[in-house]
Every structure is written in C-alpha cells, then in structure tokens.
C-alpha cells in the first residue's frame, strides 16, 4: 500500500525542482543527485525517486544508465515541436470544450488575461497565461488530453523564461481577447483558428541560444 505522506512529500519535491528547472535556476544537463536532494528536503530516497519519476513524466529530467538522473536539454527544434503539438491538441480540446463553455468560464478567462496584461515579471505573466488556456480548455472533459497539454505548457515555460531572461515587458494579450470574443459570438471555427495561430507563434519566437 502506498504511503500518502510520502506521496505528498514526493509531489512537493517534484514541484520545487520543476519550478527551478523551468525558471533556469537548475540548468539543462545538470545532474540531479539523489543524496543531495534527499538531504535538502530532509527526506528518504523513496519520495525523491518518486519525485524523479514525476519530473521524467513532465519531460524535465531523464534517467541514463550508469549516469543517473539529469535535467533534460532543449533547443529551438524542440520549441517548434512543442508549439506544433500544442496548436493541434489545444484546438481539439477547445472544440470539445465549446458545448460546455459557460459565461463564468469566459469571465474568469478574461480576468486571467487582464492579470497577464498588468503582470510585473515573467513568472506572473506565465501563470496568468497558463490559467487562461486551462480555463478555456478545461470544459472539454478530456483529462488525458488536458494532461498532455499541461506537460507541453511546462515545456513552453522553459523557453519563455530563457527568451525573457532580461528586458521583460508584459505583452498585451490581444489574441486572448479575440478568442474570447469569438467564443461569446458562438464562432467556434474562428476561435480555433485564432488559438492555433496564437500557439503556433510560440514556435517562431527568437531565443537566445546561449544557455539553452
């Protein structure tokens, strides 16, 4: 039988490490030492190993024979792949979400967009942006699809923090509002088209190759 306390600690460790990997505090290809992490969190090796499995599932770490666990690397080609997958899968989710869309969901998505507009740093903006996408896609009622999309958002976040490591300025989310306007008018095809172009633009972002 699984120990829920150890599972909770494993999740806490995984979330902490994931945040540091996504924001670039832990760099690509950095080894993740089980002993060091266990000592940092005052944990046994059991929850640390479970945390590593969670990081692997998110594509943030990889286990290599004889070398142990390390943070995954990424490059611009990975960004293109992630953007293409997101564009297809988010459109699929949105089409299934539309029949269950409510005015409350649309209002919450509008608030998330506003939060992004007034954010003062990249972490706030990324959180608001992810919240917007989760809100409009959530009503699709397809948990496996949403889980894959969430993993892709995690990958996108790594590129986001790399690209905007300096000279941060919150972008205005015109396309978010255009998607919401189309949904309010019942124009599903238009909302999906805007969403596809919006997500696809991520794949054309210029990234500083230094440090990737």
């Amino acid at each position: 039988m699984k120990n829920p306390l150890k599972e909770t600690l494993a999740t806490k460790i995984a979330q902490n490490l994931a945040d540091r990997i996504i924001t670039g505090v832990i760099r690509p290809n950095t080894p993740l030492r089980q002993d060091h992490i266990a000592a940092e969190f005052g944990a046994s090796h059991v929850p640390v190993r479970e945390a590593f499995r969670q990081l692997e599932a998110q594509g943030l770490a990889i286990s290599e024979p004889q070398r142990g666990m390390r943070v995954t690397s990424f490059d611009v080609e990975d960004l293109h792949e992630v953007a293409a997958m997101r564009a297809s899968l988010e459109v699929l989710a949105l089409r299934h979400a539309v029949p269950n869309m409510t005015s409350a969901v649309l209002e919450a998505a509008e608030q998330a967009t506003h939060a992004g507009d007034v954010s003062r740093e990249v972490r706030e903006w990324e959180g608001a942006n992810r919240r917007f996408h989760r809100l409009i896609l959530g009503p699709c009622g397809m948990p496996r699809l949403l889980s894959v999309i969430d993993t892709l958002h995690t990958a996108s976040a790594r590129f986001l923090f790399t690209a905007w490591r300096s000279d941060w300025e919150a972008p205005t989310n015109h396309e978010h509002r255009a998607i919401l306007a189309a949904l309010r008018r019942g124009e599903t095809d238009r909302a999906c088209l805007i969403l596809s172009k919006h997500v696809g633009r991520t794949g054309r972002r210029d990234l500083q190759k230094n440090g990737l």
Side-chain angles (χ1 to χ4, degrees):
M1 180 179 295
K2 292 184 179 180
N3 186 326
L5 293 178
K6 288 184 178 179
E7 286 189 309
T8 299
L9 180 56
T11 299
K12 175 185 175 181
I13 294 171
Q15 289 174 344
N16 185 288
L17 294 175
D19 183 74
R20 286 148 67 179
I21 292 169
I22 291 168
T23 57
V25 174
I26 301 179
R27 307 289 290 161
N29 296 312
T30 299
L32 297 174
R33 304 299 186 193
Q34 191 174 123
D35 289 344
H36 295 172
I37 293 170
E40 177 183 350
F41 289 92
S44 70
H45 287 186
V46 175
V48 174
R49 284 195 294 269
E50 174 57 31
F52 284 174
R53 283 192 286 270
Q54 293 182 31
L55 293 175
E56 280 193 283
Q58 296 178 71
L60 296 176
I62 186 170
S63 177
E64 297 179 325
Q66 310 303 321
R67 298 185 63 184
M69 189 73 61
R70 68 171 175 82
V71 176
T72 53
S73 59
F74 58 89
D75 56 28
V76 175
E77 290 306 312
D78 293 321
L79 173 60
H80 295 163
E81 179 182 9
V82 167
M85 291 177 67
R86 277 189 57 195
S88 296
L89 296 180
E90 291 196 30
V91 165
L92 174 64
L94 184 59
R95 287 194 180 279
H96 283 83
V98 166
N100 304 315
M101 197 73 67
T102 65
S103 58
V105 168
L106 295 175
E107 177 57 30
E110 183 73 48
Q111 293 174 8
T113 297
H114 177 71
D117 289 343
V118 300
S119 58
R120 296 182 178 180
E121 52 99 26
V122 62
R123 184 189 295 270
E124 291 179 3
W125 186 89
E126 195 279 327
N129 179 67
R130 191 182 296 213
R131 189 159 64 251
F132 170 86
H133 286 266
R134 282 175 172 167
L135 282 164
I136 65 169
L137 303 180
C140 75
M142 304 172 73
R144 291 181 182 83
L145 176 60
L146 292 173
S147 178
V148 173
I149 291 172
D150 198 55
T151 297
L152 294 172
H153 270 274
T154 296
S156 292
R158 293 185 74 185
F159 294 107
L160 177 68
F161 278 92
T162 299
W164 279 326
R165 187 167 292 151
S166 60
D167 299 325
W168 160 251
E169 182 179 352
T172 301
N173 293 307
H174 298 298
E175 289 172 336
H176 282 191
R177 291 191 168 85
I179 292 167
L180 293 177
L183 290 172
R184 289 188 175 107
R185 293 193 299 266
E187 298 175 351
T188 301
D189 287 345
R190 178 163 178 76
C192 288
L193 178 62
I194 298 170
L195 176 62
S196 178
K197 290 182 177 179
H198 170 65
V199 174
R201 187 169 290 110
T202 303
R204 297 189 294 276
R205 188 184 304 283
D206 290 328
L207 294 178
Q208 300 171 357
K209 291 190 177 181
N210 293 333
L212 286 188

